[in-house]
Amino acid sequence: MKISTKGRYGLYFMNVLASEYGVKKRSVKSVATERGISDLYLEQIVACLKKADLVKSTRGAYGGYELNYPPDEITVLDVFQAVGENIIAIELDDKDTKNERFLWKRIRDASHDVLRHTTLHDLENQSDEFDDYMFYI
């Protein structure tokens, strides 16, 4: 499964807001600079998050973006769906057997279940045991 930069940056932005939930608001530019990405690209992603009602913005000197809901009420699937992330575990092929399709469906369903049941709060409270690892099957 591959996650696009749109999905990764959207999740990163939401994680930043979750880590500062109820404390402070953040500008797109500050988060983009912190991550080393284009603020214009991140602004497009944040517009999707706002349209999906996951974030809200305030103008002015103390303005910026903040989560519209507590971190334990926003799932990774919510974020990915908001930014149009299309997660495909396995591309089906006309020649796939019934047994193969059964396996691909189980992989898809398991991935979807993890995304649907993992919240921003869950991500915020994970240990650093996975730092610097690449995951291959």
Side-chain angles (χ1 to χ4, degrees), residues 31-42:
V31 175
T33 300
E34 179 180 288
R35 181 71 185 226
I37 59 176
S38 162
D39 57 327
L40 295 177
Y41 184 47
L42 186 57

Side-chain angles (χ1 to χ4, degrees), residues 36-70:
I37 59 176
S38 162
D39 57 327
L40 295 177
Y41 184 47
L42 186 57
E43 188 67 57
Q44 293 173 2
I45 295 167
V46 172
C48 295
L49 296 168
K50 189 173 180 180
K51 184 177 180 185
D53 198 36
L54 295 179
V55 299
K56 58 186 173 185
S57 63
T58 306
R59 295 178 185 226
Y62 298 103
Y65 285 91
E66 61 186 323
L67 296 180
N68 213 19
Y69 306 96

